[in-house]
Amino acid sequence: MQKTKKVPQRKCIACQERDSKKGLIRIVKNKEGQIFLDPIGKANGRGAYICKDAECLKKAIKSKALNRAFKIEVPNEVYENLLEELQKYED
Ligand SMILES: [Zn+2]
């Protein structure tokens, strides 16, 4: 099997869009299991991307997309915090 360099695809976990006009923002889960918004994209941990759009995050909440992305049960209050944070970055 040939090794090909995988370019990490940034894709919104809610709407699956790769390049929305609004851009994507990173959500990270660190090794302590904390989940938070990482607007600079430099935090250590497993990352997932979502549009800078509260509607997408709401969709992710409904579909529990973050649970799938991070393979853990994400508590509701974490989603709520993310939603609150994300709204600060919306245009
Ligand atoms: Zn999206």
Side-chain angles (χ1 to χ4, degrees):
M1 208 162 66
Q2 205 183 354
K3 267 193 177 171
T4 45
K5 242 196 179 166
K6 254 198 171 172
V7 181
Q9 284 280 7
R10 296 177 174 197
K11 197 167 73 165
C12 174
I13 55 166
C15 69
Q16 314 294 321
E17 285 286 324
R18 283 212 172 83
D19 257 314
S20 91
K21 268 183 234 156
K22 290 178 179 176
L24 297 171
I25 194 160
R26 190 169 180 248
I27 300 168
V28 74
K29 176 172 86 72
N30 68 15
K31 60 180 193 300
E32 281 79 36
Q34 294 167 308
I35 295 170
F36 51 91
L37 221 57
D38 176 28
I40 297 149
K42 297 279 186 204
N44 284 324
R46 177 189 276 269
Y49 290 89
I50 192 154
C51 302
K52 283 182 194 168
D53 186 339
E55 288 308 310
C56 266
L57 189 52
K58 283 175 193 165
K59 222 187 274 178
I61 294 170
K62 258 193 201 150
S63 63
K64 298 191 186 294
L66 269 185
N67 295 29
R68 284 201 302 275
F70 292 141
K71 299 186 169 66
I72 58 161
E73 195 68 36
V74 180
N76 274 337
E77 60 260 36
V78 169
Y79 277 117
E80 279 160 27
N81 285 341
L82 287 172
L83 191 57
E84 207 170 287
E85 281 294 306
L86 185 72
Q87 278 161 345
K88 297 177 193 168
Y89 296 98
E90 269 190 303
D91 294 324

